[in-house]
Amino acid sequence: MKLLIKGMVCNRCIFVLAQEFPKLGLELSEIRLGEVILKETDQTAIDEKVIKAMLKKNGFDLFYSKNQKTIDQIKDTVEKGIQQQLYTGNPVKFSALLSNELHKDYDSLSSLFSSSEGCTLERFIISRKIEKVKELLVYTNQSMSEIAYALGYSSPAHLSNQLKKYTGFTSSYYKQIRLDKMTIIQEQSPDDPPS
């Protein structure tokens, strides 16, 4: 995640922020004048209000580029499209969805996203779908066929290949996590209610 920071004018500013971000539990990928790039992890939720408060305390502020609002809208629309697919079972053509929702040409949205986020829009969409697949495998009893169909994949095999490519794990790994969670829950629940 890239943050543009107002007020970073010297090496001392870099030093101060290099000390402050880890105190918030956020790991830095890169820091230079006017810009901080945070490493994103599954465990770390990035709270913008906390970051803004820390920056203000140290004499800085977040700078929003005119494109950041569009990037945020792209991300929200992708999430909306994934939810729509799961709810209706109908495949979503993300290029059409994004163009219609944001009233801009898909190629220009894709180019803007890539230059700002450091990954292609297509890769982002796939990564968000894969996160949803992992969630469904761990927290529901849906099969790969059901998930593949719901998310618009051409086949369960195609989805399985993407899951393995993006995570390094197969669907059986995530299903085992589900089974392990269920076993723990069953072990913690007494069979007979106390008398």
Side-chain angles (χ1 to χ4, degrees):
M1 176 180 190
K2 184 192 292 186
L3 301 174
L4 301 176
I5 312 289
K6 287 185 202 174
M8 284 183 74
V9 294
C10 63
N11 287 335
R12 187 178 182 307
C13 297
I14 292 173
F15 177 79
V16 168
L17 291 182
Q19 304 300 312
E20 292 295 322
F21 275 97
K23 290 178 187 176
L24 300 177
L26 300 171
E27 193 175 342
L28 296 174
S29 175
E30 192 175 333
I31 185 169
R32 56 181 171 247
L33 290 179
E35 186 176 281
V36 172
I37 300 175
L38 301 173
K39 289 184 182 175
E40 291 192 58
T41 62
D42 291 341
Q43 294 81 23
T44 307
I46 297 175
D47 186 347
E48 191 176 311
K49 289 179 184 175
V50 172
I51 292 172
K52 285 176 92 172
M54 177 275 290
L55 290 172
K56 188 169 182 126
K57 179 183 86 171
N58 287 286
F60 305 105
D61 199 3
L62 279 180
F63 175 76
Y64 291 98
S65 71
K66 62 182 177 179
N67 295 327
Q68 189 58 50
K69 183 177 179 186
T70 304
I71 298 296
D72 292 342
Q73 289 174 324
I74 290 171
K75 290 180 178 181
D76 289 344
T77 303
V78 167
E79 294 299 328
K80 179 179 167 184
I82 291 170
Q83 290 302 326
Q84 182 179 332
Q85 282 182 318
L86 288 171
Y87 182 71
T88 64
N90 296 326
V92 168
K93 185 167 176 137
F94 283 91
S95 57
L97 176 67
L98 287 162
S99 292
N100 292 339
E101 289 281 322
L102 278 65
H103 309 291
K104 293 184 180 169
D105 175 65
Y106 177 77
D107 290 337
S108 63
L109 291 171
S110 180
S111 177
L112 171 66
F113 190 90
S114 296
S115 65
S116 176
E117 296 297 299
C119 77
T120 65
L121 181 50
E122 180 183 357
R123 187 172 179 91
F124 174 76
I125 293 167
I126 293 169
S127 71
R128 296 310 305 149
K129 282 185 171 184
I130 293 299
E131 285 302 311
K132 185 54 74 174
V133 170
K134 288 167 37 180
E135 179 185 320
L136 293 171
L137 288 170
V138 172
Y139 294 105
T140 73
N141 61 358
Q142 288 183 295
S143 68
M144 278 298 276
S145 295
E146 292 169 320
I147 295 170
Y149 173 74
L151 287 175
Y153 281 88
S154 58
S155 71
H158 180 224
L159 175 55
S160 293
N161 289 338
Q162 263 195 353
L163 182 67
K164 175 79 171 160
K165 178 182 174 183
Y166 279 80
T167 68
F169 297 104
T170 63
S171 60
S172 58
Y173 171 80
Y174 294 102
K175 288 178 183 176
Q176 187 60 50
I177 292 173
R178 176 176 166 70
L179 292 173
D180 292 346
K181 285 178 176 273
M182 290 173 64
T183 301
I184 290 168
I185 290 169
Q186 288 173 351
E187 288 173 357
Q188 291 175 348
S189 302
D191 291 338
D192 299 315
S195 43

